[in-house]
Amino acid sequence: MDFLSQTYIALRGPTGAPQTPLETIARLSDRLSPSTLLGDRRAAVLALKGLSRDCKSEVGECALTGLLEVLENDAEVDAEIGKAVLETLNILCEVGDNTATPAGAGVSAREVGYKHTDIVLATEKTAHKLFTLIGDSNFYIRYSTLQFLSTLIQNRRHVVQGYFLNAPAGPGSVLAVLEDKREILRNEGLVMLQSLVSQSPDIQKLLAFEGAFEKLFNVIRQENGVEGGLIVQDCLNCVDGLLRFNVSNQTFFRETQLAPFLCSLLFFPPNLPPHEPAPQEFSLQFWDNQKLANAQVIIAILGMLVGSKSSNEVETNIFIRCLVEYALASNAPTPLKIQALRLLPANLTFPLSSHTLTPYVPVPETNGEEWDRLEPASALDVLTELILHGEYAGMDATKRRAKESLELRAAAVTVYDNYVRNEEVRISVLQTMMHLEDSDASATSTALLQALTYSPSVPLNEDSVVSTQLAALLFSSLVRSSTKCKQLARAITPSSIISASSGDATGAFFVPADGPPVTGTSTPQTQTTVDDDEPPQTLLQMLTDHLSLSFLSRSRTASTDSERDAREWDRLIVTYLALLAQWLWEDPKAVREFLESGGMGVLVEPINQTSEIDPVVQGLCAFLLGICYEYNRDPGEITRSTIHAILNRLGIDTLVGRMAQVRDDQRFKSIGPDDIILPYNIPSTHGHLSNTTQESGGVEIWFDFSFVDFWKSNYYTVQRAISLDPNTISTSSGDSAESAMLINSLRDVIRKQANELENLQARLKDAERVKAEEVNSLKEQLASLTTELGSTQQKKGEVEKEQEDLLVFLEELSTKRRRDKERLRAASQDVSEDEADGDDGDEE
């Protein structure tokens, strides 16, 4: 009653007349002054709270400053007014949809919320007060503060984060919420914490060193670990937020010894010896949606730590083994297996070929409640089986072409490709295929060859097409960019190998440890008979025959008006063409074998067709024909001149146009490193597959990213090669891609050096010309100077001779004068003193 009375007094006018909302808000704002009584301020805040939703803009304009003063002065004094002012401020700063506020014509609630947020965060004073209020013991104050902070962070995260770093009570009060026994407060604190640490390495480091990891994992333990509820997921998300893109925190996290606890949460012992199998409680678990969500966050953190620069080799191997066991030897849901495979590192060094797993398969008709333990097998064998036949050997036929199933197999293909990047591993696998009948460990090679050499038949088995596609992707990984591996591949004779093997290749994989082989597998059988009088077919010859057979069956299917069957045949043909293109590239011997097996006729006929043919098939045929022309360097019946004549008959422009269709096709353009699964589309026009298609359900595989990258790297090389004269030396022929690159590099160096030499020679000629001109000028100058010097010396000689004559004449004259004086003296005649002095002087 007291509240109603105070509110009534605050709202009525001086004479009790009704007031407009703006007048009411103005009157209530006046009552927020610190000079009024606390009860009046409380009543005014409560009244403004009621008006704030309908008159957000007006309340903010008139009362926001007063509300902030109440928050600063009264929130810690009175819990009721503190709760009310926090809730009111939260309403004013909320960012809803873009609809206009009830009383704000043309102004959206979103704009108003941002405007009020900017006013609240104009200084750090309010933010610091909120971080202080988080530590308040009152439930409502603490809860309302967390909600308001979450709203502010959502609106202006970077501003709040900047204030948090300078807040005296920031880290301690935020982390204290994680230890609150009241779940609703702890949960709200976790939500706020996730937003607070987002994209702020400084806050992440600060909270990590304040003990955030320990507190979060304490909550996870209390909530029953991975089998806990949403609170566990929030805690794990906070751990992920503290670690992701923060190398410093990752290093610190490893030092806290909490990293192995992640494996324990998944029931995988972190100290399990490599030779011991994973415990059954890890491999077989009960799963629900929440547990799956929790496990996905843990798997994401493990994958992040595996790729961390601060990784420890021993610890990293434990994490990788956990991911491998989850993906290949457990009953984990398919999305979790896909995630585990995708998080394995690209430079995978884990010993898949030597590590032993114990797979499990569900017992049919038990709804996943009973499982058979299978014979131990190497991780590489299990990985290959998963790729070729699907999860649990494809026991559930309804899921074989499902999107999740194909995504799992595609992720496994990527892992296989990463593992066999080491050429020693490739050679080992190919050597096993060559000598399979003498090998004990033949499961991988047998299954791969059987799927790859499956003889297509009518009607086409869709599951077999997928197995052949994926087998081709695996084999491409083995031979791509390796001269040695291509040489070994040419020596494989599948006919004799498969006939020497014992029927079903999957028997080496999926055999229950205590029962007969599992039924229901969809392993294709290669029905190949070997004539004793004829040498066995090599793998390359067999693939060429299957390509020819597929074209023939495709042409027959076109007349049956079955678009789906035609598309299946097209996908199988594309599979063979893509594999052969990568195999024949830079391998003249393989090109010769392909041509001698009738490959030329197989490629030319589809290129000539104008209808009832997939443009991608035509483009790949043109591309493969260009490769044959470029690398047909070994002697044989079909020469480069022969192929060149065919190219001219087909038309160079036509071939280039056919190849361009592949590049522009949506099935090719849509492929990415992790996106090789495409929606199953049926063309609107029978027999012509265009980019404008309508979805008919399901998914399919056309290319993998490795082939797309291979095509993009070599498309222009083939396009240029088919336009060259047959006698032109190949610019890309050689023993390997590395040698071709080296040759091209050396040619560039020689070309540059030749240009430099020409420039130097020209400069030398110019210098010699200038030097000759200077020498001639100097010679002329020297001759002139020499002539001038001779003339000067001649004149000097004449002057010296004249001087000598004058001296002689003077000497004679002086002698004659003395003689005359002596005679005069002898004659007793007077001789003047001057003359005597002169004589004396002369004598001197």
Side-chain angles (χ1 to χ4, degrees):
M1 292 298 294
D2 182 57
F3 163 71
L4 294 176
S5 176
Q6 291 176 344
T7 303
Y8 173 73
I9 294 172
L11 292 177
R12 74 181 183 183
T15 60
Q19 301 181 65
T20 64
L22 188 59
E23 293 174 343
T24 303
I25 293 170
R27 183 175 294 276
L28 292 172
S29 301
D30 293 338
R31 293 181 174 272
L32 297 177
S33 172
S35 60
T36 60
L37 297 176
L38 180 61
D40 291 341
R41 293 199 298 274
R42 184 190 307 114
V45 171
L46 291 170
L48 289 170
K49 175 186 172 183
L51 293 169
S52 58
R53 292 199 179 275
D54 295 331
C55 305
K56 179 185 289 190
S57 180
E58 291 78 2
V59 172
E61 185 176 351
C62 297
L64 186 54
T65 304
L67 291 171
L68 293 176
E69 291 181 357
V70 172
L71 175 67
E72 181 69 26
N73 300 325
D74 300 333
E76 290 182 286
V77 177
D78 184 87
E80 186 176 356
I81 194 174
K83 172 178 176 293
V85 73
L86 287 167
E87 291 175 347
T88 305
L89 290 171
N90 189 43
I91 293 172
L92 294 177
C93 293
E94 281 180 342
V95 177
D97 55 23
N98 287 325
T99 58
T101 57
V107 181
S108 67
R110 188 180 187 85
E111 294 173 353
V112 173
Y114 284 131
K115 176 183 177 182
H116 293 164
T117 301
D118 292 335
I119 295 174
V120 171
L121 297 177
T123 64
E124 64 181 13
K125 182 178 179 181
T126 302
H128 287 183
K129 183 66 176 181
L130 292 174
F131 289 125
T132 302
L133 290 176
I134 293 178
D136 195 287
S137 59
N138 184 275
F139 171 84
Y140 295 105
I141 293 290
R142 206 170 198 180
Y143 182 73
S144 300
T145 303
L146 290 171
Q147 284 189 318
F148 186 34
L149 270 174
S150 297
T151 300
L152 295 177
I153 295 173
Q154 179 184 354
N155 294 352
R156 294 288 186 262
R157 185 180 67 247
H158 295 296
V159 178
V160 178
Q161 288 173 335
Y163 292 155
F164 175 80
L165 291 171
N166 299 322
S173 59
V174 169
L175 294 180
V177 179
L178 302 180
E179 298 177 331
D180 199 306
K181 302 301 181 182
R182 294 164 291 190
E183 291 186 5
I184 189 171
L185 289 177
R186 185 182 60 189
N187 298 352
E188 193 67 31
L190 286 170
V191 173
M192 188 269 294
L193 182 60
Q194 292 179 57
S195 302
L196 184 63
V197 302
S198 176
Q199 300 181 8
S200 177
D202 293 333
I203 294 180
Q204 293 166 6
K205 294 177 186 178
L206 179 62
L207 293 178
F209 285 97
E210 288 289 335
F213 289 128
E214 290 80 358
K215 290 179 171 58
L216 289 169
F217 277 105
N218 285 337
V219 176
I220 293 172
R221 291 188 185 95
Q222 295 168 8
E223 295 294 325
N224 203 23
V226 71
E227 295 181 340
L230 186 61
I231 184 68
V232 172
Q233 184 180 354
D234 288 338
C235 288
L236 291 170
N237 284 330
C238 286
V239 174
D240 185 90
L242 290 170
L243 291 174
R244 196 160 298 277
F245 309 119
N246 195 317
V247 178
S248 176
N249 274 9
Q250 292 172 13
T251 304
F252 176 74
F253 182 68
R254 290 178 180 275
E255 294 174 354
T256 61
Q257 302 301 315
L258 288 172
F261 181 66
L262 292 169
C263 294
S264 301
L265 287 175
L266 298 173
F267 303 103
F268 184 84
N271 55 353
L272 184 68
H275 61 277
E276 291 188 12
Q280 186 167 321
E281 57 267 22
F282 164 78
S283 301
L284 302 178
Q285 303 181 40
F286 292 100
W287 293 92
D288 56 30
N289 292 335
Q290 185 57 59
K291 182 177 179 179
L292 171 61
N294 295 341
Q296 285 177 322
V297 183
I298 299 175
I299 292 293
I301 297 173
L302 288 178
M304 174 177 53
L305 294 176
V306 165
S308 172
K309 295 181 180 179
S310 61
S311 59
N312 174 278
E313 183 176 357
V314 176
E315 198 172 67
T316 299
N317 284 336
I318 294 173
F319 296 159
I320 292 178
R321 182 183 177 186
C322 181
L323 296 177
V324 170
E325 295 272 0
Y326 242 126
L328 303 179
S330 76
N331 70 337
T334 304
L336 195 62
K337 293 183 177 181
I338 296 172
Q339 182 186 15
L341 289 175
R342 287 178 175 174
L343 289 174
L344 290 174
N347 55 340
L348 183 61
T349 58
F350 187 79
L352 294 178
S353 56
S354 61
H355 180 68
T356 302
L357 300 177
T358 304
Y360 292 83
V361 293
V363 177
E365 300 180 358
T366 62
N367 197 24
E369 295 181 359
E370 297 182 17
W371 294 77
D372 273 334
R373 179 174 55 84
L374 307 180
E375 290 290 341
S378 73
L380 186 60
D381 288 347
V382 179
L383 182 70
T384 306
E385 168 68 16
L386 171 63
I387 295 169
L388 298 179
H389 304 117
E391 193 175 18
Y392 310 127
M395 293 179 63
D396 190 349
T398 61
K399 295 183 179 180
R400 292 174 190 164
R401 291 291 294 269
K403 183 179 180 180
E404 276 190 352
S405 177
L406 282 183
E407 285 182 345
L408 176 62
R409 297 166 75 175
V413 169
T414 302
V415 175
Y416 187 94
D417 184 47
N418 292 336
Y419 180 66
V420 299
R421 286 183 182 180
N422 186 331
E423 190 167 19
E424 294 181 0
V425 177
R426 298 194 204 182
I427 292 174
S428 175
V429 175
L430 291 169
Q431 286 176 339
T432 305
M433 292 183 182
M434 294 171 56
H435 309 289
L436 195 58
E437 62 273 11
D438 300 328
S439 175
D440 295 332
S442 61
T444 300
S445 302
T446 302
L448 177 54
L449 282 176
Q450 283 191 334
L452 183 61
T453 58
Y454 167 72
S455 181
S457 59
V458 181
L460 192 60
N461 187 317
E462 294 184 5
D463 293 332
S464 298
V465 172
V466 176
S467 296
T468 302
Q469 275 190 297
L470 298 176
L473 298 184
L474 299 188
F475 199 80
S476 298
S477 300
L478 295 175
V479 300
R480 187 185 303 118
S481 304
S482 174
T483 303
K484 176 65 175 177
C485 292
K486 291 179 181 180
Q487 178 184 351
L488 294 174
R490 292 197 305 272
I492 297 175
T493 54
S495 301
S496 60
I497 291 175
I498 295 176
S499 62
S501 63
S502 57
D504 192 356
T506 57
F509 288 96
F510 290 102
V511 179
D514 53 357
V518 177
T519 59
T521 60
S522 60
T523 306
Q525 296 297 319
T526 304
Q527 300 176 358
T528 305
T529 59
V530 182
D531 193 338
D532 294 337
D533 297 334
E534 296 181 1
Q537 276 189 315
T538 64
L539 177 59
L540 184 55
Q541 292 170 342
M542 186 173 291
L543 291 176
T544 306
D545 288 347
H546 289 175
L547 177 61
S548 177
L549 178 60
S550 298
F551 272 117
L552 179 61
S553 300
R554 169 65 174 85
S555 63
R556 293 174 178 173
T557 305
S559 61
T560 64
D561 204 29
S562 174
E563 293 180 346
R564 187 177 185 90
D565 290 345
R567 193 170 179 85
E568 291 296 315
W569 281 111
D570 287 336
R571 287 199 303 112
L572 184 59
I573 291 171
V574 166
T575 297
Y576 289 133
L577 291 172
L579 172 58
L580 290 171
Q582 295 175 86
W583 189 346
L584 269 57
W585 182 262
E586 295 182 333
D587 191 352
K589 290 183 172 56
V591 170
R592 171 56 48 199
E593 185 175 348
F594 174 73
L595 294 175
E596 292 177 350
S597 301
M600 179 64 65
V602 175
L603 299 178
V604 171
E605 184 177 353
I607 298 174
N608 262 333
Q609 287 184 252
T610 57
S611 62
E612 304 293 343
I613 189 71
D614 189 335
V616 171
V617 172
Q618 287 185 309
L620 289 178
C621 286
F623 183 70
L624 186 54
L625 182 60
I627 293 176
C628 291
Y629 177 68
E630 173 72 354
Y631 295 105
N632 184 22
R633 301 294 171 178
D634 287 359
E637 294 182 2
I638 302 177
T639 63
R640 281 176 57 83
S641 298
T642 305
I643 302 177
H644 187 258
I646 296 175
L647 295 177
N648 288 334
R649 180 167 57 84
L650 293 172
I652 302 299
D653 293 339
T654 300
L655 294 172
V656 172
R658 295 281 193 259
M659 287 188 280
Q661 288 178 318
V662 178
R663 182 190 58 196
D664 297 333
D665 195 279
Q666 195 62 36
R667 291 165 291 178
F668 183 87
K669 292 163 59 176
S670 301
I671 301 301
D674 296 321
D675 301 314
I676 70 172
I677 310 298
L678 304 177
Y680 197 109
N681 294 325
I682 294 294
S684 56
T685 304
H686 171 66
H688 180 70
L689 296 174
S690 63
N691 293 336
T692 306
T693 58
Q694 56 185 5
E695 185 172 343
S696 62
V699 291
E700 58 185 352
I701 297 175
W702 284 90
F703 303 101
D704 68 328
F705 186 72
S706 295
F707 176 76
V708 171
D709 185 57
F710 166 79
W711 172 281
K712 292 179 179 179
S713 300
N714 302 304
Y715 164 72
Y716 290 105
T717 301
V718 174
Q719 180 179 327
R720 184 174 62 253
I722 61 177
S723 62
L724 297 177
D725 186 83
N727 297 322
T728 303
I729 298 177
S730 174
T731 58
S732 58
S733 61
D735 294 335
S736 65
E738 290 79 3
S739 60
M741 292 175 61
L742 178 60
I743 291 172
N744 290 332
S745 175
L746 292 175
R747 284 176 176 167
D748 291 339
V749 172
I750 292 173
R751 190 179 300 109
K752 292 178 181 178
Q753 290 179 346
N755 293 334
E756 291 179 0
L757 183 60
E758 290 178 359
N759 294 333
L760 291 174
Q761 288 176 343
R763 291 171 59 185
L764 179 60
K765 290 180 180 179
D766 292 340
E768 289 177 348
R769 179 176 53 78
V770 172
K771 181 178 179 182
E773 292 176 355
E774 291 179 353
V775 169
N776 292 333
S777 175
L778 291 174
K779 286 182 178 179
E780 292 176 358
Q781 187 177 358
L782 179 63
S784 174
L785 292 174
T786 302
T787 303
E788 184 179 352
L789 178 62
S791 175
T792 303
Q793 289 179 345
Q794 183 179 0
K795 291 179 180 179
K796 181 180 178 182
E798 292 175 354
V799 172
E800 289 178 349
K801 184 178 180 182
E802 184 178 355
Q803 288 179 349
E804 289 177 356
D805 292 343
L806 290 174
L807 289 174
V808 170
F809 177 73
L810 179 62
E811 181 68 24
E812 291 177 354
L813 182 61
S814 299
T815 303
K816 183 176 179 297
R817 185 179 179 185
R818 279 198 305 272
R819 193 180 302 116
D820 291 340
K821 286 182 178 182
E822 288 176 355
R823 283 201 299 267
L824 289 173
R825 287 191 185 99
S828 299
Q829 294 183 4
D830 294 332
V831 179
S832 64
E833 291 297 329
D834 294 335
E835 293 177 352
D837 293 341
D839 294 339
D840 295 339
D842 293 336
E843 291 177 0
E844 291 176 359

